Amino acid sequence: MMNWNRSSVLARRTVGYSAVAALVCAGVSVLFLFVVGSKDADASRARVTGAWDRVVPLIRQSFLPPVLPAGKDIAIQVLDTQHQVVAATPQLLHKPPMATFHATSTSVHSERVLCPPAGLKGCMTVFSYKVYQPDGPWLLYVAVPTVPWYGNTAALTFAIGMSLLTTAMTAAGTFHVVKRDMTAVDAIRTELAEITATHLHRRVPVARNNQEEIKLLAGTVNDTLDRLEGAYKQLRQFTSDASHDLRSPLTAMRTQLEEALMHPHDTDWPTMTTAVLAGVDRLQAIVTDLLTLARLDARAPLDLRATDLGQLVGDELDRRTYRMEIVRDLQRNVLVDCDRLRITRLLVNLLDNAERHATSQITVSVRADGPTATLEVLDDGAGIAPEHRETVFDRFTRLDASRDRDSGGTGLGLAIAREIAEAHQGTLTIRDSERGARFVLRLPVREAPQITGRSEHRAGHAGLFSSPVPR
């Protein structure tokens, strides 16, 4: 079925392009033949005019010989007032007049196509002229072969031959090109049809000849397969990590509940319940983070509003209590278009991460750097090695050196924070610092509106941009 479809497409395209080429050639040939015919007709009339110029002076000067000089494919007769032939070219000697028509009284010229004229063969165009003499008008007949619309047989043969040759070359070229392209496309299609989730490492063949379009197609398909393979590997890793992180608290909770049921009288139920609730809390945190990532991956629309980033950060710091000292350096009127809930979630994730790794202090700063609003969260912990500064943003990634201190995390907080930053057309990176980990969020800034009068007075007493928060 596939070969039949291929042959059918090949035949249709070859016939289609050949038909178009034939129509174009036919149009060009007709135009060419019309031009040739017009030129031949003009040449024929020029020969008739030349015969007139030669014979009429002889008639008027009475020097007309009985035998006129012969010309190629031209016949001439001169008739006197009695319609007797007094002079003719050799092929019409001793023959009657070739025609009987003559010009009307208001004209000296007339012409007709006769098939054939008297004494001649074939269709010829006969021109009749009146030559006025003292004894009355004489008649001059000049006959030349009739010129068809296409001019001559040689031009017609040339036009037909070139049209057939061009059509044949178009058909052959189309057949070759379409067959070559379809072979390359079939190879790509066949390879794609055989690629499954377990064979994502395979790639479609790239044409080795000058098929630039097919090369671009194959290259694009292979690039797409590269991204698909990477996404699939990431999904498998993500699924594996999620399963592991969900299985661990579930296993621990099941074990605790089974032991309690086996020894109900020896179980400290409040302690056991507290431990199970801790596991439930961890499961809930993981599920919540997974749902958040799913919404971010689905590109859920953002509720963008003009927001003072410094005030947003200050409000969130006032809302919560921390085990560490929080040092603020918050510049006011740093306006960004953001989804307040998601940026708050980003900030909370960065603060939670900093609190788990800090020794005694966390510094939070907001400032405007030209067209960029910058939020930094810096802790005074052990920091993150340069080679791990991208790894920590992978999902379910927790560095070995910090697993003990980071036991309360889900491994998704930093991944969620970066996804939120990128959804706002911003970036979240880790920069160098003298001590600890320095997370830097950059967002596009918008121009701040004018703030006057009462709002400035209130801002001066806001208390959100001052010294450290008591622990």
Side-chain angles (χ1 to χ4, degrees):
M1 185 66 178
M2 179 184 69
N3 292 333
W4 182 87
N5 287 336
R6 179 180 176 181
S7 301
S8 176
V9 171
L10 188 60
R12 285 200 307 270
R13 292 193 178 181
T14 302
V15 171
Y17 283 111
S18 300
V20 172
L23 290 175
V24 172
C25 289
V28 173
S29 297
V30 168
L31 180 62
F32 167 75
L33 293 174
F34 268 122
V35 173
V36 172
S38 176
K39 288 185 176 182
D40 286 356
D42 291 342
S44 179
R45 288 182 178 275
R47 293 165 60 199
V48 172
T49 302
W52 158 273
D53 293 338
R54 292 192 306 271
V55 175
V56 170
L58 297 176
I59 295 174
R60 289 177 176 173
Q61 296 174 10
S62 300
F63 290 137
L64 184 67
V67 180
L68 298 174
K72 183 180 180 181
D73 294 332
I74 187 170
I76 304 173
Q77 280 184 332
V78 180
L79 280 64
D80 60 13
T81 56
Q82 303 301 320
H83 291 180
Q84 297 297 317
V85 178
V86 296
T89 50
Q91 71 268 42
L92 291 175
L93 286 177
H94 311 299
K95 292 184 179 180
M98 70 174 74
T100 58
F101 71 94
H102 53 81
T104 62
S105 57
T106 59
S107 176
V108 297
H109 164 261
S110 181
E111 65 179 81
R112 291 183 185 177
V113 176
L114 301 180
C115 295
L120 298 174
K121 296 179 180 180
C123 293
M124 302 186 77
T125 302
V126 179
F127 295 82
S128 174
Y129 296 94
K130 285 182 180 179
V131 182
Y132 291 97
Q133 290 291 90
D135 58 343
W138 287 32
L139 294 179
L140 172 63
Y141 287 110
V142 181
V144 293
T146 300
V147 179
W149 67 270
Y150 52 82
N152 54 73
T153 304
L156 180 62
T157 302
F158 174 78
I160 293 176
M162 289 302 297
S163 297
L164 293 177
L165 179 61
T166 303
T167 302
M169 291 176 62
T170 301
T174 301
F175 182 86
H176 172 72
V177 171
V178 173
K179 182 178 180 181
R180 182 194 64 185
D181 291 348
M182 290 188 64
T183 300
V185 172
D186 277 346
I188 294 174
R189 184 194 58 78
T190 302
E191 187 67 20
L192 279 175
E194 295 176 358
I195 293 176
T196 63
T198 57
H199 298 87
L200 287 177
H201 63 281
R202 297 173 60 172
R203 296 295 179 266
V204 301
V206 179
R208 298 181 180 275
N209 47 28
N210 295 326
Q211 298 168 267
E212 295 299 332
E213 296 82 359
I214 306 300
K215 287 182 180 179
L216 291 175
L217 173 62
T220 302
V221 170
N222 285 335
D223 289 343
T224 302
L225 289 174
D226 288 340
R227 294 192 297 270
L228 180 60
E229 182 181 15
Y232 184 71
K233 288 181 178 179
Q234 183 179 5
L235 177 62
R236 291 182 61 182
Q237 184 64 39
F238 177 76
T239 304
S240 174
D241 292 341
S243 300
H244 174 75
D245 275 48
L246 289 172
R247 189 185 303 115
S248 297
L250 282 174
T251 302
M253 290 161 47
R254 181 181 181 87
T255 301
Q256 291 170 336
L257 291 173
E258 287 177 348
E259 290 181 356
L261 290 176
M262 291 175 61
H263 308 284
H265 299 293
D266 298 332
T267 299
D268 185 349
W269 288 98
T271 301
M272 188 274 297
T273 304
T274 301
V276 171
L277 284 177
V280 171
D281 289 340
R282 177 165 175 76
L283 286 175
Q284 185 177 10
I286 294 174
V287 171
T288 300
D289 285 347
L290 289 174
L291 291 176
T292 300
L293 280 173
R295 286 192 292 268
L296 291 170
D297 289 341
R299 298 295 186 267
L302 302 175
D303 182 17
L304 297 178
R305 298 181 183 180
T307 303
D308 186 331
L309 185 61
Q311 182 176 352
L312 176 67
V313 172
D315 290 344
E316 183 58 30
L317 293 178
D318 285 343
R319 186 176 297 115
R320 301 178 56 183
T321 58
Y322 297 89
R323 295 180 293 103
M324 305 293 173
E325 176 186 9
I326 305 295
V327 178
R328 308 186 189 190
D329 181 14
L330 308 179
Q331 180 181 335
R332 64 171 300 119
N333 295 332
V334 180
L335 295 184
V336 295
D337 288 320
C338 71
D339 186 318
R340 296 177 60 90
L341 291 178
R342 293 192 179 182
I343 292 298
T344 300
R345 176 65 185 277
L346 182 155
L347 173 63
V348 170
N349 287 1
L350 294 182
L351 291 172
D352 287 345
N353 179 78
E355 190 173 24
R356 285 194 297 271
H357 296 86
T359 302
S360 60
Q361 179 178 284
I362 301 172
T363 302
V364 181
S365 63
V366 173
R367 65 180 182 276
D369 294 327
T372 303
T374 301
L375 165 65
E376 292 189 4
V377 176
L378 170 66
D379 63 66
D380 60 353
I384 300 174
E387 63 270 19
H388 296 148
R389 289 181 181 177
E390 284 298 317
T391 307
V392 296
F393 290 106
D394 294 339
R395 299 175 184 186
F396 289 109
T397 295
R398 284 178 290 171
L399 302 180
D400 293 337
S402 61
R403 283 185 179 273
D404 293 337
R405 301 196 64 186
D406 197 16
S407 59
T410 64
L412 296 173
L414 295 181
I416 291 174
R418 172 164 279 188
E419 291 283 349
I420 293 174
E422 292 177 351
H424 285 78
Q425 308 302 314
T427 60
L428 177 61
T429 56
I430 300 175
R431 297 298 182 185
D432 293 334
S433 60
E434 294 181 0
R435 183 182 179 185
R438 176 184 168 216
F439 288 82
V440 180
L441 168 69
R442 298 185 186 277
L443 297 175
V445 72
R446 61 177 291 168
E447 184 179 354
Q450 295 295 329
I451 302 178
T452 59
R454 185 177 178 182
S455 59
E456 292 183 352
H457 178 74
R458 291 179 59 191
H461 295 80
L464 298 177
F465 307 94
S466 56
S467 56
V469 176
R471 287 180 288 175

